[in-house]
Amino acid sequence: MLAAPRMQRARRTVAGGADRNISIAAVALAMPVALLASACGSGDAASPTTVKVMRGSVERTVSATGTLQAIDEENLGFAKGGRLTQLLVAVGQQVNAGQPLARIDDFEARNDLARAQARVAREQAALDKIKDSNQTDAADHDSDRAKDVLGATRDEADEIENAHDEELDQAHKQLGQDQDELKRVQASSRGDQDRCNRSLTGGSHRYDGYGDNADVTSRDRRGLLLESPLDMHAPSCERSDRGKAATASLRKRIDSDHDQIRRIQRQQQIENAKQRVAIEGARRDAGQARDAATGAASDRPHDIDAQAAEVADAMADVTEAQRAMQDTTLFAPAGGKVASINGTVGEYVGSASGTSAQAPGGRGALPNLDSGVGGKDDSNNKAQRPGGSSFLTLKDVNSFQVVAPFEEADAQQIQPNQKVNLTFDAVPGLTRAGRVASVAPTGAQINDVTNYYVTVVLNELDPRLRGGQTAEANVVTGGADNTLLVPTAAIQRGGDVGVVQVLQADGTIRRVQVQLGIIGDSTTQILAGLQEGQMVVLAG
């Protein structure tokens, strides 16, 4: 059994409340730091250190420490089982590192990749639609039109009110004229009636005022002119009768004028009520249009960020599907000779899950099932390997391997053929690539913690490497390319969300909540909340 490593240097990162050994490294990112100079007085505090939000690549890794061991045999298998479609090598054949050895059916992997790529295209199209949308402009135009309608409705109400006022003024004017005319006619009629009553005929005769005796008059004792007693026609009586008729007609006309005024006032009340309803409706529509325009303007950047996060999530699915597609081909992690192959084209091959079982007291591997070693010569009594069988075995391998224990939460993420970055205490600055060969099917208790041993084979060698040296294996379990990144130091984290301080164009600082993706030692993926080119403030 492998001895427990003498030390385990796993960097701890808390994500989503879980406390486990996680090492997350950012790669292929150049993050220039811009120091914003400010012309403050000598007593002012230093300007904040800011960095620009940029695009780059980030990898999520889990880490553990083990010891370099020279190997001459390696068991290989596929990350996921499937039907064997191609066998590219034969037993006894010498192979080189990176050479393809076999392939399984990739139908499901190709379909998954195609679906993931289609989703990226769909989500990207939705993002482009939001960016190119004129929804904000249309909402502004609707708001402007609603304002115009409100103004026109108010103008119409004013015009109707003015028309009714003019009509009412005209009716009052006509009433006044008719009332004045009534007073004049009544006054004249009373005088005629008095003269008629004082005439000799007592108002029983008619007089046109133009007879032969029209100038024959007399006066009463008060000196008032009396009509001639010789004339049978009294003109005052005639005028009095006409005055009475005119008075009656004017009274009717005045009553009609009052009716007209009341009708106009009633109509004015009805029209005013209608116009108030119309104005309130137009005001409501204008308010709704204004709110819609304001909401469209404020929601647009958040809609873009949310859809950009969907694009990033879809791209992560593409990365996983591409990895699954790559895993349908088995590559030689190191050079060696093919010692055994367990499977033929058309058969179903299971996934690799076992490490090389070692013989007691040494580092040699236990024999395979059909080696005939141990027990009686009985086909039903064959040596059973604790690590299980493997699809393909390489011998005469001139490389190193690292067997490192990973805590169970980290081991759950590790699959054969995953990329590994290895660093070495004895050779500072040296990094070598490797791949996961296998993961132990059962756990081992180390310091009361369940760990799973993972075998990593180096793909690259260096003359400075020696057996027994301490190596840290950083297994890449996920990553993202062409994604928004900011320094981890600029984020106040809380699970899957965080807060960053964004430097505004006017020099002020605004706190912005962001959605976090892959969290690295130096950089963190931003799924939503920021845009490329913004400046964020580094803490401290």
Side-chain angles (χ1 to χ4, degrees):
M1 180 178 178
L2 291 173
R6 58 186 176 86
M7 63 182 298
Q8 182 167 338
R9 302 174 306 139
R11 291 184 294 271
R12 290 192 173 271
T13 301
V14 178
D19 184 11
R20 52 184 183 164
N21 297 337
I22 298 180
S23 171
I24 304 177
V27 297
L29 173 67
M31 186 71 69
V33 177
L35 296 178
L36 299 182
S38 115
C40 299
S42 59
D44 292 344
S47 299
T49 301
T50 62
V51 296
K52 183 181 294 186
V53 180
M54 297 182 66
R55 291 193 173 273
S57 300
V58 64
E59 290 180 343
R60 177 172 55 239
T61 67
V62 291
S63 302
T65 303
T67 303
L68 278 179
Q69 300 176 7
I71 58 173
D72 58 8
E73 179 178 318
E74 185 175 359
N75 296 320
L76 305 178
F78 292 97
K80 184 178 180 181
R83 184 175 60 85
L84 190 63
T85 58
Q86 285 184 292
L87 191 56
L88 305 175
V89 295
V91 175
Q93 180 178 339
Q94 183 71 31
V95 297
N96 300 318
Q99 180 176 338
L101 305 177
R103 293 188 176 93
I104 58 175
D105 186 9
D106 63 355
F107 177 79
E108 182 179 352
R110 280 189 289 106
N111 284 345
D112 289 344
L113 178 58
R115 279 193 291 268
Q117 291 172 334
R119 185 190 168 205
V120 169
R122 184 170 60 252
E123 300 294 353
Q124 184 63 50
L127 177 60
D128 294 339
K129 182 178 180 180
I130 295 175
K131 289 181 177 180
D132 298 337
S133 173
N134 65 343
Q135 181 178 359
T136 302
D137 294 337
D140 289 337
H141 294 160
D142 289 342
S143 179
D144 293 339
R145 286 193 292 270
K147 290 179 182 178
D148 293 340
V149 171
L150 176 60
T153 304
R154 286 171 171 168
D155 293 341
E156 181 184 23
D158 292 340
E159 290 293 333
I160 293 175
E161 181 73 13
N162 293 335
H164 282 301
D165 288 342
E166 291 177 1
E167 186 177 9
L168 189 61
D169 290 342
Q170 187 65 31
H172 279 294
K173 183 178 180 180
Q174 183 63 45
L175 174 62
Q177 292 175 349
D178 291 340
Q179 289 174 337
D180 292 341
E181 179 66 13
L182 176 62
K183 292 176 181 179
R184 187 189 65 76
V185 170
Q186 286 177 333
S188 176
S189 178
R190 282 195 297 270
D192 290 335
Q193 184 64 45
D194 289 341
R195 285 190 289 273
C196 177
N197 293 336
R198 290 193 300 271
S199 67
L200 295 178
T201 60
S204 60
H205 303 287
R206 297 286 179 263
Y207 173 61
D208 57 8
Y210 298 96
D212 294 335
N213 298 320
D215 56 348
V216 179
T217 60
S218 62
R219 297 180 180 273
D220 62 8
R221 59 185 179 180
R222 294 175 297 175
L224 297 177
L225 182 66
L226 297 175
E227 295 178 351
S228 173
L230 301 178
D231 197 317
M232 299 303 294
H233 302 284
S236 60
C237 294
E238 181 68 21
R239 289 194 300 274
S240 176
D241 290 342
R242 288 198 302 271
K244 292 177 181 179
T247 297
S249 177
L250 286 171
R251 290 184 183 277
K252 290 182 180 180
R253 194 157 66 185
I254 289 173
D255 291 340
S256 177
D257 291 339
H258 283 294
D259 292 340
Q260 176 71 1
I261 290 174
R262 287 191 292 271
R263 182 191 65 79
I264 294 173
Q265 290 175 334
R266 179 58 180 166
Q267 185 66 27
Q268 189 175 28
Q269 292 174 349
I270 295 174
E271 291 294 336
N272 287 343
K274 290 181 178 179
Q275 292 304 313
R276 283 196 298 270
V277 172
I279 290 174
E280 289 303 318
R283 182 181 288 113
R284 178 202 59 204
D285 294 342
Q288 291 176 345
R290 182 183 63 254
D291 293 341
T294 302
S298 61
D299 290 346
R300 176 179 170 82
H302 302 295
D303 292 340
I304 291 176
D305 290 341
Q307 189 57 40
E310 293 293 335
V311 173
D313 184 62
M315 292 177 66
D317 289 343
V318 169
T319 301
E320 293 181 4
Q322 288 172 337
R323 172 61 62 82
M325 185 70 184
Q326 294 171 359
D327 288 344
T328 61
T329 299
L330 180 64
F331 295 91
K337 182 179 293 186
V338 179
S340 66
I341 300 175
N342 296 318
T344 60
V345 173
E347 292 181 342
Y348 184 88
V349 179
S351 61
S353 60
T355 58
S356 300
Q358 296 183 353
R363 294 190 177 181
L366 289 177
N368 287 325
L369 292 176
D370 298 328
S371 64
V373 177
K376 301 178 182 179
D377 187 10
D378 185 350
S379 59
N380 294 324
N381 186 17
K382 299 177 181 178
Q384 298 296 317
R385 300 188 60 214
S389 62
S390 59
F391 166 66
L392 189 148
T393 303
L394 289 181
K395 289 185 177 296
D396 300 329
V397 178
N398 183 20
S399 183
F400 288 97
Q401 70 178 14
V402 175
V403 181
F406 286 80
E407 292 186 6
E408 55 183 328
D410 296 341
Q412 185 67 25
Q413 307 175 49
I414 301 176
Q415 299 290 335
N417 292 326
Q418 285 178 333
K419 178 183 175 182
V420 184
N421 299 314
L422 296 110
T423 58
F424 313 92
D425 286 353
V427 189
L430 178 64
T431 300
R432 282 293 177 261
R435 285 192 175 274
V436 174
S438 57
V439 182
T442 57
Q445 293 294 317
I446 301 177
N447 296 329
D448 296 328
V449 177
T450 301
N451 286 259
Y452 288 80
Y453 282 102
V454 175
T455 300
V456 177
V457 177
L458 274 68
N459 294 340
E460 301 173 329
L461 297 179
D462 187 275
R464 293 170 290 180
L465 296 180
R466 299 288 185 271
Q469 291 176 338
T470 300
E472 184 175 274
N474 302 293
V475 182
V476 179
T477 60
D481 297 323
N482 191 30
T483 186
L484 291 181
L485 298 175
V486 299
T488 303
I491 304 172
Q492 299 176 6
R493 295 202 304 269
D496 294 333
V497 297
V499 175
V500 298
Q501 299 183 76
V502 178
L503 184 66
Q504 304 291 92
D506 59 1
T508 60
I509 294 177
R510 179 170 62 96
R511 292 171 60 85
V512 176
Q513 181 172 304
V514 294
Q515 182 179 352
L516 306 180
I518 297 174
I519 301 173
D521 288 335
S522 59
T523 57
T524 296
Q525 180 188 20
I526 301 299
L527 299 180
L530 293 178
Q531 296 180 355
E532 185 177 0
Q534 287 183 296
M535 305 298 293
V536 297
V537 179
L538 290 178

